[in-house]
Structure formats: C-alpha cells, structure tokens
Amino acid sequence: MLILTFSQMQFMLLFSRQGKLRLQKWYVPLSDKERKKISRDLVQTILARKPKMCSFLEWRDLKIVYKRYASLYFCCAVEDQDNELITLEIIHRYVELLDKYFGSVCELDIIFNFEKAYFILDEFLLGGEPQETSKKNVLKAIEQADLLQEVKLCFHL
Amino acid sequence: MPAVSKGDGMRGLAVFISDIRNCKSKEAEIKRINKELANIRSKFKGDKALDGYSKKKYVCKLLFIFLLGHDIDFGHMEAVNLLSSNKYTEKQIGYLFISVLVNSNSELIRLINNAIKNDLSSRNPTFMCLALHCIANVGSREMAEAFAGEIPRILVAGDTMDSVKQSAALCLLRLYKTSPDLVMMGEWTSRVVHLLNDQHMIVSSASTDLQDYTYYFVPAPWLSCKLLRLLQCYPPPEDGAVKGRLVECLETILNKAQEPPKSKKVQHSNAKNAILFEAISLIIHYDSEPNLLVRACNQLGQFLQHRETNLRYLALESMCTLASSEFSHEAVKTHIETVINALKTERDVSVRQRAADLLYAMCDRSNAKQIVAEMLSYLETADYSIREEMVLKVAILAEKYAVDYSWYVDTILNLIRIAGDYVSEEVWYRVIQIVINRDDVQGYAAKTVFEALQAPACHENMVKVGGYILGEFGNLIAGDPRSSPLVQFNLLHSKFHLCSVPTRALLLSAYIKFINLFPETKATIQEVLRCDSQIRNSDVELQQRAVEYLKLSSIASTDVLATVLEEMPPFPERESSILAKLKKKKGPGAVSVTELEDNKREGGELNGASERGPEMAAVAASNASTPSPSADLLGIRSAAPIGGALTSAGSLLVDVFSEAAPTASSAAVNDDGFLSAAPSSEDPAAPLSDADELLNKYGGALQNLTLKLPVTINKFFQPTEMTSHDFFQRWKQLSQPQQEAQKIFKANNSMDTEVLKAKMYRLTLRCSKDSVSKRLCDLLAEQF
C-alpha cells in the first residue's frame, strides 16, 4: 500500500568528537539497552572514518547519513530505500534552524539548551519525516512557543 | 555563543550543566551527579508539593543526567504529572522526558495515555500537537492501540487547524507503518487520502509564497522527492496521455541535470541531485522506457567520475539496480573499466563495496572472467566484514558462467587461498560436487589441488578439498613421480596434525581410499592408523574411523575393498545452496539481480516460476544446443536456471516405434523406415530399420546424442482399436506363412460352457515378425 514504502528515519544522533552524545532522537520503539548499544557502536564506527570519506555508509541493515559541523557530528539512520541526499539536506536544514534560533550556533548552545534543541527538531520533523519544509514557518512556530513561555513567566512573577 | 536560554531561564539547570562540564575527572562528575540525584530525590519525596516550575526544572535535570549516559530509576511519575499541567513549557518537558526515557511499566503507560488523551481532546492546538508528536515519535504498539481510532477523526474534523491536521496526518502515517493492523482506515480512507494530498498543500494555500519552499534555488525538493517516491508505489500509468506527461516530466528532470548549477553551494547540488536520483529510481521501477533507462545510465556514468565522493557512491549504488534491467544492462556494462578502477582506487571502503556490488550485478557471460578476476584481487585486501559475502558472490559467478570448468576449479581454490576463513561449507562442498560430476576436470582438479597443498601455509579448507579430491582422483596424477602415491600421502599427512577434528576425519577417509587406490601405500598408511594417537584418539569419531579403517584394510579382500571404496557416484543436480545462503545473508529482498535477469530472460519471473513449468521446459529444451554451465551432466537436458523452482527440466524422450497403429493412409513408404513421435505420419508396412540408424534420426534431423551406458530399451504393447474392416485388411496383408502361428489347446482355466459351447481353444496370431507370432502364441495360450 502506498504508505508503507515511505521513508523512515529510524533515529538521529548528535555527538561530539569525543563521542559524547548531545542529542538522541529515536523514531522507532527500542529498549533502553538496545539504544545504548546502537549509540555506542555507531558512534565508534563514525568516529573511525576519515574526513574525505563519503557521507553514507551501510551499517547493520540500515543506511547511515552523517555530516560533521564544527565539533558536532549529525548522524541519521534511514532505511534501505530512502533518499540519502535529501536526508543530508534534512540535517542541513536542522542546522540552519538551530543557527537561526541561537545565532551562530555552536556545540555549547546545544549542551546548555538541550531541551530547546529537541523542541526545534520536533517542530521540523515528526515521526522522522519533515512536517514543515518552510524555514520561515518552522522558526515562526518556535517563536510562538517561546512566547507562550514568556507569557506564563509573567504570571509566575 | 553560549547563551543562557531564551524564554524560560531555568538557571538552576544551567548552573548544574556548568558544574558538570567543569569536573576534571570522571569520578568528580559522578560525585556531582550523585549529589544532584540525592537532592532531587529528596525534593520529590518532600512534604510540600513542588510547584510546576521546580518540577519542570528537576525533571529537566534528570533528563540531562540521563543523556549524559547515567541510568535514572526515578522521576517518571513526576514527569507524567507534568503532562497534565496547563502550562505549555511544563507539559513540553514532561513529553520530552517520557519520549526519551523508555518505560514499560504498564501503570505509567496507562497514565501517560490518559494524559495524551486529554490533550488530544483539549481543542487547544498546541496541546494537541504536543500529544500527536509524542504518539508519532514514540509510535509504540500500546500507543497505537490506544489512539489509532482517535487520530483519523481529528484529521478529518472540519474545525481542526491546519497545523494540527499536518501533525495528525504524519502521526497516522507513523502508526500505520508500525501497526498497520490497528489503523482501521475503513470509512476514513477516501477522506484521509484526499487530505494527505492536501498536506503537501503548500501551493494550494493561497497565502503562502512559493519562495518559502525554495531551498537553495531548488523548488520544494522535499515535496518533489516525496511525490516521486509516491509514484514508485504504483505501476506505470496505463492511460497514454498521463504516461506521456510523466515521461516528459522525467525527461525534463534528466535535462535539468545537464544545466549549469545556479549556485556553487553543495546544498543546491544535493537538493537538485536528490530529485534526480529519486527520478532515476522511478525510471528503474517502471523499467519500461528504454530511452529513459539509457539516459539514466549515462547520467549515472557521468557521476561515476565526479569529484564528490557522495555522488560516486550513489551512482554506483543506483547503477546496480539498472544492471538488472534488460534495457539498460548493456549500457551499464560499458562502464566496466570505470567501476573496476573505482574498486582499485577508491579510498573509502563503502564506495569500494558499492563498486564490488555493481560488478556482481553487471556480470554476464561476456565479462565473467574479467569480473571474477577483479573481485578475487579485491578480496585480497578487502575489509573483513565483507569477505564472506564476496566469497559467496565469486563462487556463484564462477559456477554460473563457467564454460571451462578448470577455470571454475581455479577460482574456488583461489578463493580458499585468499580468504579461506570466509569460505563457508556450501562453497567447498559445491566445488567437490562439481568435480565429482565432471570427468573432464577431475585430473586438473587433482593436479591443481596437489600443487596448492604444497604451499607452506595452506588454509585448512584447502586441506579438506585437497584431501577429498586426492582421495577420489589421486590416481589420475599418480603416474608422475612428483605426485606419486606416497608423495601425495606424505603431503596430506604433513598437514594432519595442524587440522581440526572434522578435517582429520576427512583425511582418514582419504587415507583408506589411498590404500584401495595404491596398494603400495598400504603398509605406510596402516602404520599411521595403527599408532596410539589415532586408535586411541580422545575424539570418538577419529578413533572410530581409525579403528574401522585399519580393520577394513586388513581383512577385506581387494575386491571388497574396491567395492566399498568405489569412486563417488555423481551427485544429483540440485539448486545451489550458495545462492540460498547469500539470499539469507542479504535478506529476502535482495535477490541477486543476475538471477532476476536470468529468470526474466528465460521467460519466467521468480514468483511465477513454478507455474510456468511446461513453458520453461520448452525453452530449456531449445537451449540444448548451448549448454549452460549448470547443464545436465549427461549433456542432454538443460538444467533449471538458478533461483527458479522448476518442477521439471525438459526431457527428451527418444521413442522408437517399430510398428504403429494402421491408418487409412496410402502405402507410401518412409524411406528410412523411421516413425517419428507424431503417430500420424507412420507407414504400417514399412520395414524395420537398424536400431542404430533409428537412434540417430529424430524428427527428420540428425542428432548427436552422447549417452552413458547402460541404455535401457523398453518394449511394450499398446492396444489399439480397429474396425473389423481394418482388422481384416491388415490380416490379409500378413499373409506370409511364417507370419502366422496357430495353436489349438485345451483350456487351462475353466470354460464357461454356457457361453462358449466348446471344449478347446484355437488361437491364431499373425505378426509381421515371425518369431514374435510364435512366441506370443505360446504365451497367450497359457492365459486361457
């Protein structure tokens, strides 16, 4: 049926060059133990790769698409049929969003505002699929969410 | 720049994170974390109820600690409580926590689902979205069970906001993917499908500017890719006009790829090429437009030499699928040199691997030798993780395209030499089967294996193969003093102590075969069998073999020994287990494209193979003149193609009729007297020809049949119906005295005197062959 063959991002991991996980978003139900094992193994595999190598590799029965931005690796696992190049651009779009939000984003922003990184990702991807591909609209939605917080904060005082 | 977060500060969290980062050692970090955990625990257990803000802060801290890699065993309840808060940020943190920390506690799940349900029915779009996100991202079975019914309703409800609809649609999609049985589309289907189309409605929403959806000068790349993907779920359109437009569209995409880029940024080319690759996938899926397929192939060919590694990788991958299409297979082959070059020079192992896969896919009779040679040389330095698969592939190709079986034997032995550890049993069993079944390669195999065994460090699998082959066919090279029987034995035995138990067992069997083949080695070998390390070996199998073989060699006469240790009979033809193993390894979907192609070419698809049995047989028979490598060993039958589950490979039945039922045809005599298989053309009075001559003619055309003895000749009677007129006409023709035999006899069995009113029988027989009449008469008389 038509829906079944659509792309499926299984997870997205962000990690530093020392292998520290900065964000992990899972789009498939897996136990905590499985997640830990996958993260550990995959991070090792990616860190072992050299700079000029291509952005795609086959790992277990998945396709891994990854790219390094400064000190952070952005790594997505997609299924065999999925379009690798568009996944690369999903990563790039996410980085753009972070960049716009934090203003010249760097790893520290993501460390200190990890929950925001998740929220921004959730505005962009839902169940692993881009739900809004207009950068403007996503940023607007995030702004609105922030406003909600501020409104509440006022009352809190 | 490190900023204190916008909006809601949560200063306590920022301080905590700073503390952790300032820890100089792992121990310090753990200490700090434990301190915090204790603090949070006490706050949660505390007497006074925590306010929302504090709860949120502490739950967030727990989340952070968890993400650092430490286990959290409390806080779930508090997180679930946050879900029911009315404050957006608190709810948000609650949802984040529960979607990151998986919990299978059923009580918690119940509470979570409750909270979600409340949010879904809250009519507050932001809350609804949070809930939908959670369901979509977690996507567990429990959630599907709880909400699969609710979401379609939200999706089609008139008063649902667009943003919520979007989330609901994607949520439904997720649930359908993971638990299709739970998502009852039913009444919602048509409305949902309509809306799903609407989801990508960007352009239809009048207020939106298309500019917003242009990504680095590429218009709506995600949408384009999705649409192209969607089309791959359907067969090509039947309507000519629609198909025409689609083809035009694809051609446009291919044309645009040739245009100069609008931007130097890699994002631009990635987005553009993402669409291109998806379009190529669609073209491959349709597999019906030769022009498009060849153009796609050419485009990919250009990418094969692109500066960017990513594009080279993707081109290799895409070409693999193209190789299996009959329209583009030849076009793909033209790139063989580039691909071989990639195999040799690419620095990235993933790219090299794609090149190897492509070589396998594009392999056919014309380039098999070259490709196998390249793959073997690649194997010498290949990554260990891919060796087993490479070995299987080389073995499959070598067998499939072997015209000269000594090449096949060489290839397999090379495989063992280069990657012995990864040569599974299926592979070396197969080479033995083939050598046993083919006389013409046995001597060569014995010689080659003998030479291979001389290498100082030789893989155990080589010893296995060598032991077996020398045991069976060592006699073929025993004449040469360099490979005399004793030399062969010593060579094998020199490896004996280095081998594992199963190999030693095999060697022992080879030794007893030697005793049979070469009586002069008997004493030496018996000496070996007799020693304690054999007959008192701690392994039961080895001990048993040594003892029994020793005894057998002592008490059996040469005849008995020769009978027991007779040469192995040919193995029955069966489907190669190597292919099955490769399929299992790669997963069910990844049938080798060469197999697919073969089946396609020979007129059967993998799924339909069994139904097309008779047609396959016809095709197989017509291929008899060019024996395929897996041809029947007698050379008569063509074997079933690899991968097809055929019930019968066509057989030729050589019918020799000496007489046939008479017809009313004229008395024209067939000059060679041979009566073809079609009964209508025979002449009843034709003289019987020589049997040899008969065998050589079939259907009027001369055939050469190589038969292995014994040939069984059958003779049988077939009754035929005749009118009395025909019968007596025939009777009159057999008028020569020696053609008739008569017998008058008393009945052996009781006669029914009521009916017959006689006491004796008279049986008269006429037959074209005199001796037959007499014989038959005697035989039949006994029956009465």
Side-chain angles (χ1 to χ4, degrees), chain A residues 15 17 41-51 53 57 66 73, chain B residues 349:
Chain A
F15 52 93
R17 286 198 285 166
D41 288 349
L42 187 53
V43 168
Q44 297 277 44
T45 308
I46 306 255
L47 287 176
R49 283 171 76 80
K50 311 239 182 19
M53 289 174 136
L57 68 140
Y66 75 97
Y73 283 89
Chain B
V349 63

Side-chain angles (χ1 to χ4, degrees), chain B residues 250-258 276 283 292 295-296 299:
Chain B
L250 291 168
E251 273 171 358
T252 310
I253 296 176
L254 285 170
N255 289 339
K256 280 212 185 290
Q258 297 296 325
L276 176 62
I283 291 171
L292 287 179
R295 279 194 70 185
Q299 178 63 65

Side-chain angles (χ1 to χ4, degrees), chain B residues 100-120:
Chain B
V100 173
L101 272 91
V102 183
N103 198 293
S104 40
N105 177 314
S106 52
E107 179 60 28
L108 270 173
I109 291 179
R110 198 181 60 77
L111 288 170
I112 292 170
N113 286 353
N114 246 354
I116 293 178
K117 200 175 293 182
N118 287 338
D119 279 330
L120 280 180

Side-chain angles (χ1 to χ4, degrees), chain B residues 375-601:
Chain B
M375 284 176 89
L376 274 176
S377 107
Y378 175 59
L379 199 53
E380 304 215 25
T381 51
D383 219 47
Y384 293 119
S385 54
I386 46 146
R387 281 194 185 201
E388 193 185 349
E389 189 186 308
M390 292 282 304
V391 165
L392 291 172
K393 285 182 167 166
V394 171
I396 289 171
L397 290 179
E399 185 184 330
K400 191 160 177 189
Y401 297 112
V403 169
D404 167 17
Y405 274 84
S406 42
W407 172 70
Y408 169 78
V409 167
D410 278 337
T411 306
I412 304 296
L413 293 185
N414 267 329
L415 272 181
I416 299 177
R417 186 179 53 80
I418 296 170
D421 284 338
Y422 302 91
V423 174
S424 57
E425 281 181 344
E426 286 86 351
V427 175
W428 71 264
Y429 284 0
R430 192 74 182 154
V431 69
I432 299 232
Q433 279 175 18
I434 290 189
V435 171
I436 299 272
N437 285 11
R438 301 196 68 92
D439 291 343
D440 51 355
V441 83
Q442 286 161 1
Y444 181 80
K447 175 166 159 307
T448 318
V449 113
F450 176 78
E451 279 161 8
L453 283 170
Q454 312 216 309
C458 126
H459 196 274
E460 193 169 325
N461 280 341
M462 190 66 88
V463 178
K464 288 184 195 171
V465 173
Y468 198 102
I469 290 188
L470 289 178
E472 290 289 314
F473 309 114
N475 55 312
L476 297 174
I477 54 170
D480 188 323
R482 292 168 297 176
S483 51
S484 73
L486 265 173
V487 171
Q488 286 181 38
F489 170 71
N490 284 327
L491 180 59
L492 283 177
H493 200 56
S494 68
K495 318 275 181 191
F496 190 86
H497 61 286
L498 298 165
C499 294
S500 65
V501 166
T503 311
R504 292 192 203 185
L506 191 151
L507 285 175
L508 287 179
S509 300
Y511 294 170
I512 186 73
K513 290 179 194 174
F514 271 16
I515 292 184
N516 174 47
L517 287 175
F518 316 119
E520 68 268 37
T521 60
K522 182 163 160 175
T524 319
I525 297 182
Q526 279 182 327
E527 195 59 46
V528 165
L529 291 173
R530 198 174 287 128
C531 64
D532 273 357
S533 57
Q534 307 299 352
I535 53 172
R536 288 213 160 95
N537 194 298
S538 56
D539 182 279
V540 166
E541 178 69 29
L542 292 181
Q543 198 190 109
Q544 186 177 3
R545 288 195 188 202
V547 166
E548 290 184 5
Y549 290 158
L550 183 60
K551 205 63 180 169
L552 182 65
S553 65
S554 325
I555 62 170
S557 70
T558 34
D559 282 342
V560 169
L561 201 63
T563 314
V564 168
L565 299 169
E566 209 180 287
E567 194 179 292
M568 269 294 182
F571 289 88
E573 269 302 303
R574 57 172 92 94
E575 189 184 310
S576 166
S577 55
I578 303 181
L579 193 64
K581 183 159 181 150
L582 183 66
K583 282 188 205 171
K584 211 169 21 150
K585 226 177 137 41
K586 295 281 273 176
V591 176
S592 157
V593 290
T594 46
E595 276 71 45
L596 266 181
E597 179 182 44
D598 263 343
N599 279 328
K600 262 199 195 170
R601 280 217 208 105

